[in-house]
Amino acid sequence: MSADINGIREAIAAIFIACGAIFFIVSAIGILRLPDFYARLHASGNSETMGVMLSFIGLIIYEGATITSLKMVFVFLILFFANPIGTHILSKAAYKSRHKVWTIKEISAIKALLEQKEEDQHADLHN
């Protein structure tokens, strides 16, 4: 009977840890794919907080009721409050230092430059 409960507990813990890993992967993809500092900061701040939360819940379930679990809860609470605060401080510092925000106008400018480059390459081929 005890082996069945341990197996169920380990399976639930594995699900939480796997979900946390998915959030970490999404965060990494967001950092690589998003266009500017603010969007990257948003992706990393939200996804990492959720990933840490799910991973720590899985680790706490796996460990059971021990002093180590209590320490993990304490570390989780620190991260849960510190990560959003740190993200906010970074974004506010970037805004105050006039860090450029990526806008729709820039998208239009990039598209126009790419179209001009294609036209130039096309013209070069015909000349």
Side-chain angles (χ1 to χ4, degrees):
M1 182 74 174
S2 178
D4 293 338
I5 293 173
N6 285 338
I8 293 170
R9 187 182 80 214
E10 289 175 0
I12 293 170
I15 290 169
F16 274 101
I17 293 169
C19 290
I22 289 169
F23 273 93
F24 287 133
I25 291 169
V26 168
S27 176
I29 292 170
I31 290 171
L32 293 173
R33 298 282 300 171
L34 292 173
D36 73 338
F37 176 76
Y38 299 104
R40 291 176 185 153
L41 197 60
H42 177 73
S44 69
N46 292 341
S47 298
E48 285 179 8
T49 302
M50 189 66 168
V52 166
M53 183 180 73
L54 291 172
S55 297
F56 268 78
I57 289 171
L59 291 172
I60 290 166
I61 290 171
Y62 180 78
E63 183 64 28
T66 63
I67 191 71
T68 305
S69 295
L70 187 61
K71 291 175 185 177
M72 284 190 276
V73 168
F74 183 67
V75 170
F76 162 72
L77 288 174
I78 291 171
L79 285 171
F80 186 73
F81 290 111
N83 200 9
I85 292 169
T87 301
H88 177 74
I89 290 170
L90 285 171
S91 63
K92 194 168 189 177
Y95 181 76
K96 284 186 175 184
S97 68
R98 302 187 193 283
H99 195 280
K100 194 173 183 183
V101 178
W102 191 73
T103 62
I104 297 296
K105 292 178 185 176
E106 291 181 19
I107 296 172
S108 300
I110 291 170
K111 285 182 181 178
L113 286 173
L114 290 174
E115 288 172 2
Q116 183 63 39
K117 187 175 180 180
E118 288 176 3
E119 289 175 7
D120 291 346
Q121 287 176 350
H122 186 67
D124 288 342
L125 290 174
H126 291 289
N127 289 335

